[in-house]
Amino acid sequence: EVQLLESGGGLVQPGGSLRLSCAASGFNFNVYTMAWVRQAPGKGLEWVSSISDIAGSTEYADSVKGRFTISRDNSKKTVHLQMSSLRAEDAAIYYCAKDIGGWDAFDVWGQGTTVTVSS
Amino acid sequence: AIQLTQSPSSLSASVGDKVTFTCRASQDIGSTLAWYQQKLGRPPTLLIYDASTLKSGVPSRFSGSGSGTDFTLTISSLQPEDFASYYCQQFNTYPLTFGGGTKLQIK
């Protein structure tokens, strides 16, 4: 079964850091672009970051550029999102997603992990 | 960044109705558009990509059309499980962007 399982969410103070992880299973992880998409409470979807398959090239939303870093470990089939200088507006459910292959549309999503930023 | 504007923001309809959602891009994106369904408390699920290609396993009552800047998602005959929110997403250019969503409610 194709599956993505996020972890690492929690409560963090403004200015703090958090590292999210996403464990993949059931597909050839190495050949797919992976992404993080977030959803603030009661709001719509916002793409955060993507990392390509083998080359590992990265892209970021302007709202997180310079504060978040995406990485992947193909040997462990995991993708990470290192978040620093967190702000209240970063509070959201963070979903890990797999692209469909050839297009940056996402056909597999994890259940999400919740990040709360509050003092 | 490419902006996607979805209309309407909410829609009330009945089981059996045909409904159409619209997504308009701020610039030409060819056919690089996807549609997602999201039910409350659940992650999104992909319905359509490349503007009109139905993802395997998605019921045929869903269809997508359009190219350039104007796109539509149509549900030919609403089923009870279709009441959810729907989002479009462009993958023509980074940053990837989503529309604001359309919430489909039971009339």
Side-chain angles (χ1 to χ4, degrees):
Chain A
E1 180 188 4
V2 176
Q3 195 170 7
L4 298 172
L5 184 62
E6 302 97 335
S7 60
L11 172 64
V12 61
Q13 292 186 339
S17 298
L18 210 56
R19 189 190 194 216
L20 306 184
S21 297
C22 171
S25 60
F27 64 98
N28 188 0
F29 180 79
N30 297 6
V31 303
Y32 291 98
T33 291
M34 300 296 295
W36 290 93
V37 176
R38 69 186 180 183
Q39 187 169 34
K43 301 297 184 182
L45 301 169
E46 180 187 16
W47 170 79
V48 173
S49 181
S50 290
I51 185 165
S52 69
D53 45 21
I54 296 174
S57 61
T58 58
E59 299 283 351
Y60 297 93
D62 287 346
S63 58
V64 307
K65 201 172 291 184
R67 300 187 299 121
F68 290 12
T69 302
I70 191 171
S71 62
R72 67 189 294 161
D73 184 336
N74 286 340
S75 67
K76 296 182 178 178
K77 297 186 177 182
T78 57
V79 60
H80 303 285
L81 186 69
Q82 178 68 47
M83 306 185 295
S84 60
S85 302
L86 282 161
R87 307 166 180 165
E89 55 264 35
D90 295 319
I93 298 172
Y94 282 74
Y95 295 105
C96 175
K98 163 194 167 291
D99 91 343
I100 200 168
W103 297 269
D104 284 316
F106 305 116
D107 65 338
V108 180
W109 296 67
Q111 293 302 304
T113 188
T114 300
V115 172
T116 303
V117 183
S118 175
S119 54
Chain B
I2 297 172
Q3 295 180 21
L4 298 179
T5 302
Q6 288 188 243
S7 60
S9 57
S10 64
L11 175 62
S12 295
S14 303
V15 173
D17 285 352
K18 177 180 178 179
V19 295
T20 299
F21 310 120
T22 297
C23 178
R24 176 162 290 174
S26 59
Q27 64 189 70
D28 189 337
I29 60 170
S31 63
T32 56
L33 190 95
W35 289 95
Y36 299 86
Q37 178 191 70
Q38 187 180 32
K39 297 182 180 179
L40 196 63
R42 302 288 296 166
T45 59
L46 178 65
L47 298 173
I48 286 168
Y49 62 97
D50 214 25
S52 60
T53 302
L54 199 66
K55 183 194 168 189
S56 175
V58 173
S60 59
R61 63 181 180 272
F62 292 92
S63 64
S65 65
S67 66
T69 61
D70 293 314
F71 301 86
T72 59
L73 171 68
T74 299
I75 309 175
S76 60
S77 178
L78 276 173
Q79 299 303 300
E81 61 268 29
D82 298 337
F83 291 95
S85 293
Y86 292 84
Y87 294 91
C88 58
Q89 177 231 329
Q90 66 82 19
F91 48 93
N92 184 77
T93 308
Y94 285 108
L96 306 181
T97 48
F98 289 86
T102 294
K103 186 173 183 179
L104 178 60
Q105 303 175 93
I106 300 175
K107 184 182 287 184

